[in-house]
Amino acid sequence: MSIAEPVVIAARALLLDMDGTLVNSDAVVERIWRRWADQHALDGDDVMRVVHGRQGHASMALLLPDRPVEQNLADNARMLAAETADMDGVVPVPGASAFLTALAGVPHALVTSADVPLSTARMAAAGLPLPALRITAESVGASKPDPEGFLKAAAELGIAPADCVVFEDSGAGIQAGQAAGMRVVGVGERAAAHAPDAVVRDLREIAVEVTEDGVRLHVRGART
């Protein structure tokens, strides 16, 4: 990544991914999915390149394309339970607490591929407050990179997609935000390869200025 001039992005609503964006859960994801890869004789590195940002059953469908959907859904339920029981190493992304505090009164939503129990547990483990509006795995019929979750969040907030800014870390999530017609700020190294509108190392590089009709995001040290 190359350092670019800081940018200012105006928006009426912010739509926030959880894992990798607000919460660093990589340690758990690595443990759970590499164990799953071993059980299915798959290369762990290949699996890790697929799973970030997607619902588990959607990742399984890509990795085991000949397996019945019902098996993927059952396996996914077990995986979610295992992830929900494992909070070892779950921490906030630097700057996440201050960032969420700055959004008080600003329309925003959590849009995550995790289900309600997992998202609730991880946000709590990271010491972060849950936004009032949460679009979780139970809320949608299609996983990221499908834009359904982001479009549903925008509709429930009553904000046009073009006036929303998505915060994401994964290729699947960035693709979903772009497909929804939204601008995307990528968070972390993983995001840099997927051409979001701006990329930051973490949320300490975002300053939130609340305006009469939304926010102005001052993206310090923006990268492209």
Coordinates of all heavy atoms in Angstrom, one line a residue, residues 4-11 14 99 102-103 165 167 185 198-211 214-223:
A4 N -1.4 7.9 0.7 CA -2.0 8.9 -0.1 C -2.4 10.1 0.8 O -2.2 10.0 2.0 CB -3.2 8.3 -0.8
E5 N -2.8 11.2 0.2 CA -3.3 12.3 0.9 C -4.5 11.9 1.7 O -5.3 11.1 1.2 CB -3.6 13.4 0.0 CG -2.4 14.1 -0.7 CD -1.5 14.7 0.3 OE1 -2.0 15.4 1.2 OE2 -0.3 14.6 0.1
P6 N -4.7 12.4 2.9 CA -5.9 12.2 3.7 C -7.1 12.6 2.9 O -7.1 13.6 2.1 CB -5.7 13.0 4.9 CG -4.2 13.2 5.1 CD -3.7 13.3 3.7
V7 N -8.2 11.9 3.1 CA -9.4 12.2 2.3 C -10.6 12.4 3.3 O -10.5 12.0 4.5 CB -9.8 11.0 1.4 CG1 -8.7 10.8 0.3 CG2 -10.1 9.7 2.1
V8 N -11.6 13.1 2.8 CA -12.8 13.4 3.6 C -14.0 12.8 2.9 O -14.2 13.0 1.7 CB -13.0 14.9 3.8 CG1 -14.3 15.1 4.6 CG2 -11.9 15.5 4.6
I9 N -14.7 11.9 3.5 CA -15.9 11.2 2.9 C -17.1 11.6 3.7 O -17.2 11.4 4.9 CB -15.7 9.7 3.0 CG1 -14.4 9.3 2.3 CG2 -16.9 9.0 2.3 CD1 -14.0 7.8 2.4
A10 N -18.1 12.2 3.0 CA -19.4 12.6 3.6 C -20.4 11.4 3.5 O -20.4 10.7 2.4 CB -19.9 13.8 3.0
A11 N -21.2 11.2 4.5 CA -22.1 10.1 4.4 C -23.3 10.4 5.4 O -23.2 11.2 6.3 CB -21.5 8.8 4.9
L14 N -23.5 4.8 8.3 CA -22.3 3.9 8.2 C -22.8 2.5 8.5 O -23.5 2.3 9.5 CB -21.3 4.4 9.2 CG -20.7 5.8 9.2 CD1 -19.6 6.0 10.2 CD2 -20.3 6.2 7.8
F99 N -14.3 4.9 18.0 CA -15.0 5.1 16.8 C -16.5 4.9 17.0 O -17.4 5.8 16.6 CB -14.5 4.1 15.8 CG -15.2 4.1 14.4 CD1 -15.1 5.2 13.6 CD2 -16.0 3.0 14.1 CE1 -15.7 5.2 12.3 CE2 -16.7 3.0 12.8 CZ -16.5 4.1 12.0
A102 N -18.1 7.7 18.9 CA -18.3 8.9 18.1 C -19.5 8.9 17.2 O -20.0 9.9 16.7 CB -17.0 9.2 17.2
L103 N -20.1 7.7 17.1 CA -21.2 7.5 16.2 C -22.6 7.7 16.9 O -23.6 7.5 16.3 CB -21.2 6.1 15.5 CG -20.0 5.9 14.6 CD1 -20.2 4.5 13.9 CD2 -19.9 7.0 13.5
V165 N -21.8 4.6 3.8 CA -20.4 4.1 3.7 C -20.2 2.8 4.5 O -20.6 2.7 5.6 CB -19.4 5.2 4.2 CG1 -18.0 4.6 4.3 CG2 -19.4 6.4 3.2
F167 N -17.8 -0.1 6.1 CA -16.5 -0.4 6.6 C -16.3 -2.0 6.6 O -17.1 -2.7 7.2 CB -16.3 0.1 8.1 CG -16.1 1.6 8.1 CD1 -17.0 2.5 7.9 CD2 -14.8 2.0 8.5 CE1 -16.8 3.9 7.9 CE2 -14.5 3.4 8.5 CZ -15.5 4.3 8.3
V185 N -14.8 1.8 2.9 CA -13.5 2.0 3.5 C -13.0 0.6 4.0 O -13.7 -0.1 4.8 CB -13.6 2.9 4.7 CG1 -12.3 3.0 5.5 CG2 -14.1 4.3 4.3
A198 N -11.0 3.7 0.1 CA -9.9 4.1 0.9 C -9.6 2.9 1.8 O -10.4 2.0 2.1 CB -10.2 5.3 1.7
V199 N -8.3 2.8 2.3 CA -7.9 1.8 3.2 C -7.2 2.4 4.4 O -6.3 3.3 4.2 CB -6.9 0.8 2.5 CG1 -6.6 -0.4 3.5 CG2 -7.5 0.3 1.2
V200 N -7.4 1.9 5.6 CA -6.7 2.3 6.8 C -6.2 1.1 7.5 O -6.7 0.0 7.4 CB -7.7 3.1 7.7 CG1 -8.1 4.4 7.1 CG2 -8.9 2.3 8.2
R201 N -5.1 1.4 8.3 CA -4.5 0.3 9.1 C -5.5 -0.2 10.1 O -5.7 -1.4 10.3 CB -3.3 0.7 9.8 CG -2.1 1.0 8.8 CD -0.8 1.2 9.7 NE 0.3 1.6 8.8 CZ 0.7 2.8 8.6 NH1 0.0 3.8 9.1 NH2 1.7 3.1 7.8
D202 N -6.2 0.7 10.8 CA -7.2 0.4 11.8 C -8.0 1.7 12.0 O -7.8 2.7 11.4 CB -6.5 -0.1 13.1 CG -5.5 0.9 13.7 OD1 -5.9 2.1 13.9 OD2 -4.4 0.5 14.0
L203 N -8.9 1.6 13.0 CA -9.9 2.7 13.1 C -9.4 3.9 13.8 O -10.1 4.9 13.9 CB -11.1 2.1 13.9 CG -11.9 1.1 13.1 CD1 -13.0 0.4 13.9 CD2 -12.5 1.6 11.8
R204 N -8.1 3.8 14.3 CA -7.5 5.1 14.8 C -7.2 6.1 13.7 O -7.0 7.3 14.0 CB -6.2 4.7 15.5 CG -6.4 3.9 16.8 CD -5.1 3.5 17.4 NE -4.4 2.5 16.5 CZ -3.2 1.9 16.8 NH1 -2.7 2.2 18.0 NH2 -2.6 1.1 16.0
E205 N -7.3 5.6 12.5 CA -7.0 6.5 11.4 C -8.3 7.2 10.8 O -8.2 7.8 9.8 CB -6.3 5.8 10.2 CG -4.9 5.3 10.7 CD -4.0 4.8 9.5 OE1 -4.6 4.4 8.5 OE2 -2.8 4.7 9.6
I206 N -9.4 7.0 11.5 CA -10.7 7.6 11.1 C -11.1 8.6 12.2 O -11.2 8.2 13.4 CB -11.8 6.6 11.0 CG1 -11.4 5.5 10.0 CG2 -13.1 7.2 10.6 CD1 -11.5 5.9 8.5
A207 N -11.3 9.9 11.8 CA -11.9 10.8 12.7 C -13.3 11.1 12.2 O -13.6 11.4 11.0 CB -11.1 12.1 12.7
V208 N -14.3 11.1 13.2 CA -15.7 11.3 12.8 C -16.2 12.7 13.2 O -16.1 13.1 14.3 CB -16.6 10.2 13.6 CG1 -18.1 10.5 13.3 CG2 -16.2 8.8 13.2
E209 N -16.6 13.4 12.2 CA -17.2 14.7 12.4 C -18.7 14.6 12.2 O -19.1 14.4 11.0 CB -16.6 15.7 11.5 CG -17.2 17.1 11.6 CD -16.8 18.1 10.5 OE1 -15.9 17.7 9.6 OE2 -17.3 19.2 10.4
V210 N -19.5 14.8 13.2 CA -20.9 14.7 13.1 C -21.5 16.0 12.5 O -21.1 17.1 12.9 CB -21.6 14.4 14.4 CG1 -23.1 14.3 14.3 CG2 -21.1 13.1 15.0
T211 N -22.3 15.9 11.5 CA -22.9 17.0 10.8 C -24.4 17.0 11.0 O -25.0 16.0 11.5 CB -22.6 17.0 9.3 OG1 -23.1 15.9 8.7 CG2 -21.0 17.0 9.1
G214 N -25.6 13.8 8.9 CA -24.8 12.6 8.9 C -23.4 12.8 9.5 O -23.3 13.3 10.6
V215 N -22.4 12.4 8.7 CA -21.0 12.5 9.2 C -20.1 12.9 8.0 O -20.4 12.7 6.9 CB -20.5 11.2 9.8 CG1 -21.3 10.8 11.0 CG2 -20.6 10.1 8.7
R216 N -19.0 13.5 8.5 CA -17.8 13.6 7.6 C -16.7 12.8 8.2 O -16.3 13.0 9.3 CB -17.4 15.1 7.4 CG -18.3 15.9 6.6 CD -18.1 17.4 6.7 NE -16.8 17.8 6.4 CZ -16.3 18.1 5.2 NH1 -17.1 18.1 4.2 NH2 -15.1 18.5 5.0
L217 N -16.2 11.9 7.4 CA -15.1 11.0 7.9 C -13.8 11.5 7.4 O -13.6 11.7 6.2 CB -15.3 9.6 7.3 CG -16.7 8.9 7.6 CD1 -16.8 7.6 6.8 CD2 -16.7 8.6 9.1
H218 N -12.9 11.8 8.3 CA -11.6 12.3 8.0 C -10.7 11.1 8.1 O -10.4 10.6 9.2 CB -11.2 13.4 9.0 CG -12.0 14.6 8.9 ND1 -11.7 15.7 8.2 CD2 -13.3 14.9 9.5 CE1 -12.7 16.7 8.3 NE2 -13.6 16.2 9.1
V219 N -10.3 10.6 6.9 CA -9.5 9.4 6.8 C -8.1 9.8 6.8 O -7.5 10.2 5.7 CB -9.9 8.6 5.6 CG1 -9.2 7.2 5.5 CG2 -11.5 8.4 5.5
R220 N -7.4 9.7 7.9 CA -6.0 10.1 8.0 C -5.1 9.0 7.5 O -5.3 7.8 7.8 CB -5.7 10.4 9.5 CG -6.5 11.5 10.1 CD -6.0 11.9 11.5 NE -6.1 10.8 12.4 CZ -7.1 10.6 13.2 NH1 -8.2 11.3 13.1 NH2 -7.2 9.5 14.1
G221 N -4.1 9.4 6.7 CA -3.2 8.4 6.2 C -3.9 7.4 5.2 O -3.5 6.2 5.2
A222 N -4.9 7.9 4.5 CA -5.6 7.0 3.6 C -4.7 6.3 2.6 O -3.7 6.9 2.2 CB -6.7 7.8 2.8
R223 N -5.0 5.1 2.3 CA -4.1 4.3 1.4 C -4.9 3.8 0.2 O -6.1 3.5 0.4 CB -3.4 3.2 2.1 CG -2.4 3.7 3.1 CD -2.1 2.6 4.1 NE -1.1 3.2 5.1 CZ -1.5 4.0 6.1 NH1 -2.7 4.3 6.3 NH2 -0.5 4.4 6.9

